[in-house]
Amino acid sequence: MDLGYIPSFCTACYREGRTGDRFMSLCKTGQIQNCCHPNALMTLKEFLEDYASPETKSVGEKLIAEELGRIPKEKVRAKAAEYIENIHLGRRDFRF
């Protein structure tokens, strides 16, 4: 995270049935970024809330804040921010 990489614990595509041709069509059109980027941030937030040391949490929270601003679609960015706040409040299992 110190290098700007987002560790992702995401299993959303598998859980949503986005496998095989369905997954590949999202990849080929570039639409997968509307799923992967926010899902990576949300799974990172869950990890930070549940397992991270204070130091790791600090680095991760900063990265999440920076990366939220890089989500290109406003609607996706707003929903991801909402889900991340809900994760902070103890709710889990959000996904795009």
Side-chain angles (χ1 to χ4, degrees):
M1 290 186 298
D2 287 327
L3 298 174
Y5 294 107
I6 306 166
S8 177
F9 305 95
C10 183
T11 60
C13 284
Y14 175 76
R15 293 168 70 204
E16 288 291 320
R18 290 188 294 253
T19 59
D21 290 343
R22 188 166 171 224
F23 178 79
M24 289 309 296
S25 69
L26 286 171
C27 290
K28 289 176 183 177
T29 62
Q31 291 302 312
I32 196 69
Q33 71 180 335
N34 294 314
C35 301
C36 290
H37 194 187
N39 284 336
L41 298 177
M42 292 184 305
T43 60
L44 174 58
K45 178 65 173 175
E46 286 184 3
F47 170 80
L48 295 174
E49 291 291 330
D50 296 344
Y51 304 109
S53 69
E55 297 82 17
T56 300
K57 191 171 183 178
S58 176
V59 172
E61 294 288 350
K62 182 179 178 222
L63 180 62
I64 288 170
E66 292 169 359
E67 287 296 322
L68 272 173
R70 292 189 178 110
I71 296 174
K73 287 192 171 184
E74 174 60 35
K75 190 173 186 178
V76 174
R77 184 173 47 249
K79 193 54 121 172
E82 176 187 329
Y83 287 161
I84 286 169
E85 179 58 28
N86 280 316
I87 292 166
H88 177 70
L89 297 173
R91 298 181 186 103
R92 298 291 184 270
D93 204 27
F94 298 101
R95 59 187 176 263
F96 283 85

